Amino acid sequence: MKNVDGLGLACVTIKVLRFLIVFGTGEYIVLNSDATKNNRGLLDELRRFVKASEAGDFNFSLDPDGLSDEEAEAVRLLKTALGKYRSFLEYDVMRYKLTCKSMGMVMWDMDVAYGDPLNPNNKITWSQELRHALGFSDENDFPNVFSSWLDRLHPEDKERAVDTCVEYILDRTSDEAYELEFRVMAKNGEYRHFRAFGATFRDSDGTPLRKAGSWLDITEQKQTEEQLKRRELMMGTLNEASVIFVSRNEDTFEENMTAGVTLIADIAGIDNITVYRNYKEAGVLHASQIYRWNREAGGTTKPTNIFTNTTYTRYVPSWEGIFMEGDTVNGPVRLMPETEAATLEAFGTLSAFAVPVFVNNVFWGFVLYEDCQKERHFESDCADMLRYAAFLL
């Protein structure tokens, strides 16, 4: 029999006159006993300890009461070794959790029954940190079952993610970790992006016994990447539209305006685009609609008569002050002041973005972009593009 490092092995050999224990310190303790019943008392205590640990009760404490002096001393030494091991383990777990927390990673693990990653008897444990990353509280709303993850996978990611995990676990020759990305629906119904890492512990012939993994929330990274792609696409569209506008002349004005404006409207999700020119009459600021693009009409169309030679105070009284400050109007129509909301709702507008146009520091007019399909606040990348487009129109 050889020494072992750490807690390692507790081995009990009972003979009539000798009892041998090997425990975590790697030392041998030989207990001489003149009564088999005392050996049985210690053995029973150790069996209860093993049974408790197998049931997941790691708070079980060995009890030396009723044992011989030598046996009681062995129990005390074993408890000391176990206590030190538990302290080291708790320290390692704490360090591991802190490392994961600092990296924004959340953990899970699974016991693989009979080498089958899809076996319903597999015991899976989702960490509390993982639950919280998805907006859940505890095991009641995110149970320790495989379907908690499976049922919330994005439909476009489910087959690929599951196949990758299963193929990796069943590959008995693989000793490397895997990595993949997927989206999981959070409790609030929104999908979050995760980059997942995993590894499998196997026996000598490669049969998977246990699998553990971590998720890194990359939602913000993905959103930033999408915003950059969208901004690049918008700037490219704006450049393309500007080339079309520059090439327009009297014979092709309407055709070129329609082509250029349609490019901008399509990428921004706009249904109506109108241009208003300012002028003053009797000292009062007026505006006239001088250009109108309408998706339903198929492009450039006639201006709306009621918005010809009208005052700001009649239809959009708050806008004059907003525009004079160089600010924009942005958001759902129903949240706007009563007069402005009534004016836009009459044309089926749900959301609007209006930007003032200044020429040589003079308030020239404004451009109004309308979305008749959904309520929204125009995001910064889209708003920036529409500001630039206003000067091209």
Side-chain angles (χ1 to χ4, degrees):
M1 191 175 294
K2 60 181 180 180
N3 289 1
V4 293
D5 295 328
L7 175 61
L9 175 68
C11 176
V12 180
T13 303
I14 298 180
K15 295 185 178 179
V16 175
L17 298 175
R18 178 164 293 183
F19 184 70
L20 175 64
I21 299 178
V22 182
F23 61 98
T25 59
E27 299 176 353
Y28 294 96
I29 292 183
V30 178
L31 303 177
N32 292 316
S33 176
D34 55 3
T36 303
K37 63 178 181 179
N38 288 336
N39 291 329
R40 288 183 181 276
L42 178 56
L43 183 58
D44 288 341
E45 188 66 17
L46 291 173
R47 283 173 175 163
R48 289 200 308 123
F49 177 76
V50 171
K51 186 176 181 180
S53 63
E54 288 177 343
D57 180 9
F58 297 103
N59 294 317
F60 180 87
S61 179
L62 291 168
D63 184 4
D65 292 345
L67 301 178
S68 68
D69 291 343
E70 287 185 333
E71 291 171 344
E73 178 64 15
V75 167
R76 282 190 287 270
L77 289 172
L78 184 57
K79 288 175 67 176
T80 300
L82 288 170
K84 289 181 178 180
Y85 180 76
R86 182 179 289 113
S87 296
F88 288 138
L89 182 61
E90 289 174 350
Y91 175 76
D92 285 343
V93 170
M94 178 188 68
R95 184 174 59 180
Y96 181 65
K97 286 185 174 181
L98 287 174
T99 300
C100 291
K101 184 177 181 179
S102 67
M103 297 176 65
M105 304 184 78
V106 294
M107 317 304 296
W108 67 277
D109 66 87
M110 178 176 72
D111 292 329
V112 184
Y114 308 108
D116 179 7
L118 299 179
N119 192 302
N121 293 321
N122 290 343
K123 181 182 178 182
I124 191 166
T125 302
W126 306 108
S127 68
Q128 281 297 91
E129 292 78 10
L130 186 147
R131 291 187 175 97
H132 294 164
L134 293 172
F136 294 99
S137 301
D138 50 39
E139 193 174 343
N140 291 320
D141 54 3
F142 196 88
N144 282 325
V145 292
F146 189 68
S147 59
S148 292
W149 169 67
L150 184 65
D151 293 346
R152 290 185 167 273
L153 275 172
H154 193 287
E156 295 177 1
D157 300 340
K158 180 175 290 188
E159 183 176 356
R160 173 181 53 82
V162 173
D163 287 350
T164 299
C165 292
V166 172
E167 289 173 6
Y168 168 76
I169 294 177
L170 294 180
D171 183 1
R172 293 171 177 262
T173 63
S174 175
D175 58 357
E176 297 181 356
Y178 73 86
E179 178 180 341
L180 76 155
E181 294 182 8
F182 49 73
R183 288 162 289 179
V184 180
M185 183 187 293
K187 188 174 183 178
N188 62 7
E190 297 179 358
Y191 280 98
R192 301 200 64 82
H193 292 256
F194 291 93
R195 180 174 293 122
F197 307 87
T200 300
F201 175 73
R202 305 174 187 275
D203 65 13
S204 58
D205 67 354
T207 300
L209 302 176
R210 189 177 184 85
K211 184 174 183 290
S214 61
W215 295 359
L216 176 64
D217 192 332
I218 57 172
T219 304
E220 292 185 2
Q221 175 186 328
K222 286 292 184 179
Q223 290 173 343
T224 300
E225 291 174 357
E226 289 300 318
Q227 288 175 355
L228 289 174
K229 289 179 182 178
R230 181 174 168 81
R231 183 174 289 273
E232 290 177 0
L233 182 59
M234 287 183 171
M235 290 301 104
T237 299
L238 195 59
N239 289 334
E240 186 178 351
S242 65
V243 171
I244 295 174
F245 292 146
V246 169
S247 65
R248 64 192 174 191
N249 54 51
E250 289 185 6
D251 295 330
T252 63
F253 177 83
E254 184 173 319
E255 180 181 338
N256 284 14
M257 282 295 292
T258 294
V261 173
T262 299
L263 286 174
I264 296 169
D266 285 347
I267 195 170
I270 301 298
D271 298 293
N272 295 304
I273 299 178
T274 47
V275 179
Y276 293 81
R277 174 71 182 271
N278 287 342
Y279 70 95
K280 278 193 175 184
E281 185 175 295
V284 177
L285 190 64
H286 289 62
S288 281
Q289 188 181 101
I290 62 173
Y291 175 79
R292 177 170 173 246
W293 178 95
N294 178 264
R295 183 178 298 281
E296 206 171 84
T300 301
T301 188
K302 293 181 180 181
T304 305
N305 290 332
I306 64 171
F307 296 130
T308 300
N309 301 326
T310 186
T311 62
Y312 276 81
T313 55
R314 182 174 181 181
Y315 293 111
V316 285
S318 67
W319 288 14
E320 181 179 351
I322 292 173
F323 290 157
M324 290 298 290
E325 294 294 325
D327 294 328
T328 60
V329 174
N330 185 355
V333 170
R334 65 178 176 83
L335 300 180
M336 295 181 183
E338 184 177 354
T339 302
E340 287 81 344
T343 298
L344 295 170
E345 286 172 349
F347 293 89
T349 305
L350 296 179
S351 303
F353 181 77
V355 55
V357 176
F358 287 82
V359 177
N360 296 325
N361 294 323
V362 176
F363 181 25
W364 181 90
F366 69 94
V367 178
L368 173 62
Y369 304 93
E370 300 168 77
D371 184 346
C372 299
Q373 306 303 317
K374 61 181 178 181
E375 289 191 340
R376 59 165 162 157
H377 183 91
F378 290 78
E379 296 181 359
S380 60
D381 53 358
C382 183
D384 288 344
M385 184 194 71
L386 296 179
R387 284 192 188 94
Y388 297 139
F391 290 93
L392 294 177
L393 296 173

